Amino acid sequence: MNFTKTTEQSSHYEQLEHMSVADLLFNINKEDKTVPLAVEKALPQIEALVTQVVEKMKLGGRLFYIGAGTSGRLGIVDASECPPTFGVPFDLVNGIIAGGDKAIRKAVENAEDSTTQAWIDLQEHNINENDIVIGIAASGTTPYVISGLEKCHENNIITGCITCNEGSPLALTAQFPVVVVVGPEFVTGSSRMKAGTAQKLVLNMISTATMIQLGRVKGNKMVDMQLSNNKLVDRGIKMIMSEIHVDYEKAAQLLNQYGSVRKAVDNYQK
């Protein structure tokens, strides 16, 4: 297949090693500012994908992210934040990385080149046609991700993707592709930069919009968040104070009694 990988094209900047720290930071920031605008152009694609995720979850399905390297790590970050933020089961949103959990910290050689491992990894979670799989790859050419989506199609599992190269094999494979074209990186080919930022923004949108659609936010508050540290307990108390207009002490008592912001608010009787 003949397509241009814009993520691999030469940087617009030359002789980076001769730039001052101030110039480096200014120019990196200048490039970063273009990313949200690129994401904006992909909003219709993101909407189509989120709609599919919500439909599947309402039927009892789960969401899986699969990726390699930076892309895989970003999927894991987003998945791991869903239970504490929205109070959902830990296996509702799942992040899978080529090379397994050890690849989260350290690159695993050739893991992304496997054309069989992604499906094996997905099968460990008893994946089925109620679920939905989103492949993440800035390049759009990662064999691990593409082959995983192809096997999903053979098993009637809906797929999406997040990539930064238009016309890439991944974009053409996924049923609901999201393509955010961010152009060349500040350091040529370093797709952990703008491409990684774009992927993170899209992942934020997918999980947050989905959870809101599933009723996991009330007003603008994370009423189902896990109260796993003092900061979050304090935040929960203040949410209750704001919602039902009681003082700090009463809100703390209600939170302690019911164990969640939502239950405290719903069960409060003046």
Side-chain angles (χ1 to χ4, degrees):
M1 162 172 269
N2 188 18
F3 82 101
T4 302
K5 277 192 198 179
T6 55
T7 55
E8 298 289 335
Q9 289 183 333
S10 185
S11 171
H12 297 310
Y13 304 83
E14 299 288 347
Q15 297 185 316
L16 305 187
E17 69 273 28
H18 296 303
M19 288 186 186
S20 67
V21 171
D23 285 344
L24 287 169
L25 300 181
F26 177 85
N27 288 319
I28 291 171
N29 181 243
K30 181 180 176 182
E31 287 298 304
D32 286 345
K33 287 176 183 176
T34 68
V35 177
L37 299 175
V39 172
E40 183 179 9
K41 292 177 182 176
L43 285 177
Q45 293 181 321
I46 301 169
E47 180 185 0
L49 179 53
V50 169
T51 300
Q52 291 296 317
V53 175
V54 171
E55 286 182 10
K56 284 296 182 182
M57 285 193 168
K58 284 183 175 178
L59 295 172
R62 300 164 294 168
L63 169 60
F64 289 86
Y65 298 128
I66 60 171
T70 298
S71 296
R73 295 181 190 104
L74 288 168
I76 288 169
V77 167
D78 194 71
S80 66
E81 291 288 354
C82 288
T85 305
F86 302 108
V88 295
F90 74 93
D91 59 351
L92 184 66
V93 183
N94 305 272
I96 297 175
I97 186 170
D101 283 355
K102 62 183 176 182
I104 297 171
R105 291 181 177 273
K106 188 176 179 181
V108 176
E109 194 172 350
N110 297 327
E112 71 172 55
D113 298 326
S114 173
T115 57
T116 57
Q117 191 61 44
W119 182 244
I120 294 169
D121 293 344
L122 286 166
Q123 283 183 299
E124 288 181 5
H125 296 265
N126 297 313
I127 191 159
N128 60 73
E129 59 187 42
N130 290 326
D131 301 322
I132 185 165
V133 176
I134 298 175
I136 313 171
S139 67
T141 58
T142 309
Y144 176 89
V145 178
I146 295 167
S147 63
L149 297 199
E150 289 172 344
K151 287 295 290 185
C152 286
H153 297 161
E154 291 174 20
N155 290 273
N156 298 315
I157 296 166
I158 289 177
T159 66
C161 77
I162 306 170
T163 183
C164 296
N165 282 306
E166 204 158 10
S168 67
L170 179 59
L172 297 175
T173 299
Q175 293 163 319
F176 294 90
V178 173
V179 183
V180 183
V181 182
V182 294
E185 296 287 2
F186 180 72
V187 176
T188 299
S190 184
S191 56
R192 70 185 181 87
M193 299 185 77
K194 287 194 299 182
T197 300
Q199 290 172 324
K200 179 71 168 75
L201 292 176
V202 174
L203 287 164
N204 286 349
M205 288 178 164
I206 292 171
S207 56
T208 304
T210 295
M211 293 301 160
I212 293 170
Q213 288 287 301
L214 293 174
R216 289 288 174 170
V217 170
K218 183 178 175 66
N220 58 17
K221 305 291 196 304
M222 300 181 290
V223 292
D224 292 321
M225 68 179 182
Q226 292 177 357
L227 306 170
S228 55
N229 59 47
N230 291 336
K231 177 190 76 174
L232 296 179
V233 170
D234 181 65
R235 182 186 295 168
I237 291 169
K238 288 173 180 173
M239 283 185 194
I240 294 168
M241 292 171 65
S242 171
E243 196 69 26
I244 58 176
H245 309 296
V246 294
D247 61 23
Y248 192 94
E249 186 178 352
K250 179 63 176 178
Q253 177 193 331
L254 289 166
L255 188 59
N256 185 58
Q257 180 180 351
Y258 291 105
S260 86
V261 175
R262 182 186 294 275
K263 288 178 182 175
V265 170
D266 289 349
N267 287 286
Y268 175 65
Q269 295 178 342
K270 293 182 180 178

